[in-house]
C-alpha cells in the first residue's frame, strides 16, 4: 500500500494524540501506533519523530524517563503532561479549522 507524507504541522498532533491512549510509550511504540491506526497510510520516520519528541520535552508537553522494553532493550518512555493536554486541544482545534477551510475551497473549486 502507498504511504502518504504526514501533512506539515500535524506531527505534534499525532504524537500527542497517541500518548493520550494512556500510560507511557517509547518512540517505536508511538510510530507503530500511528502507522497501525492510520491503516499503514502514515509512517513516522525516526528522523522526524525523535527531534519532535525532544522539542516537545523542551516545551514541557511530555516528560520522559528511561526504561526497558518487553524485548529487554533500553528505551526512553514518554508521557503526556497537563501542558501537553492543553496543547493537544489547541492542535486539534487548529487542524479542524484548517480542514474545514480546505473543504470549503475544494467544494467551490
Amino acid at each position: 500500500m502507498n504511504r502518504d507524507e504526514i501533512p506539515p504541522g500535524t506531527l505534534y498532533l499525532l504524537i500527542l494524540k497517541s500518548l493520550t491512549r494512556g500510560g507511557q510509550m517509547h518512540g517505536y511504540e508511538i510510530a507503530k501506533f500511528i502507522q497501525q491506526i492510520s491503516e499503514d497510510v502514515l509512517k513516522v520516520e525516526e528522523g522526524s519523530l525523535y527531534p519532535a519528541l525532544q522539542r516537545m520535552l523542551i516545551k514541557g508537553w511530555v516528560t520522559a524517563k528511561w526504561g526497558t522494553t518487553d524485548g529487554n532493550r533500553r528505551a526512553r518512555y514518554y508521557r503526556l503532561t497537563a501542558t501537553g493536554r492543553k496543547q493537544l486541544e489547541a492542535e486539534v482545534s487548529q487542524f479542524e479549522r484548517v480542514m474545514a477551510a480546505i473543504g470549503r475551497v475544494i467544494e467551490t473549486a
Side-chain angles (χ1 to χ4, degrees), residues 10-68:
T10 60
L11 184 57
Y12 289 148
L13 168 65
L14 295 171
I15 294 170
L16 290 168
K17 189 62 180 174
S18 297
L19 290 171
T20 63
R21 85 176 241 234
Q24 58 188 10
M25 298 171 78
H26 57 74
Y28 181 74
E29 287 176 320
I30 295 168
K32 276 309 244 190
F33 179 77
I34 292 169
Q35 186 174 339
Q36 288 172 343
I37 294 299
S38 72
E39 298 178 353
D40 290 326
V41 173
L42 302 175
K43 182 177 183 199
V44 181
E45 301 292 341
E46 286 183 31
S48 299
L49 177 65
Y50 291 104
L53 285 166
Q54 187 60 37
R55 290 188 300 271
M56 294 167 76
L57 274 167
I58 292 167
K59 293 173 185 277
W61 299 349
V62 297
T63 59
K65 69 174 186 167
W66 289 99
T68 306

Side-chain angles (χ1 to χ4, degrees), residues 12-18 20 56 61 80-98:
Y12 289 148
L13 168 65
L14 295 171
I15 294 170
L16 290 168
K17 189 62 180 174
S18 297
T20 63
M56 294 167 76
W61 299 349
L80 199 59
T81 65
T83 304
R85 289 186 196 286
K86 285 183 182 179
Q87 184 62 33
L88 175 59
E89 290 176 16
E91 297 279 336
V92 168
S93 178
Q94 179 184 10
F95 179 80
E96 288 173 343
R97 273 193 318 276
V98 169

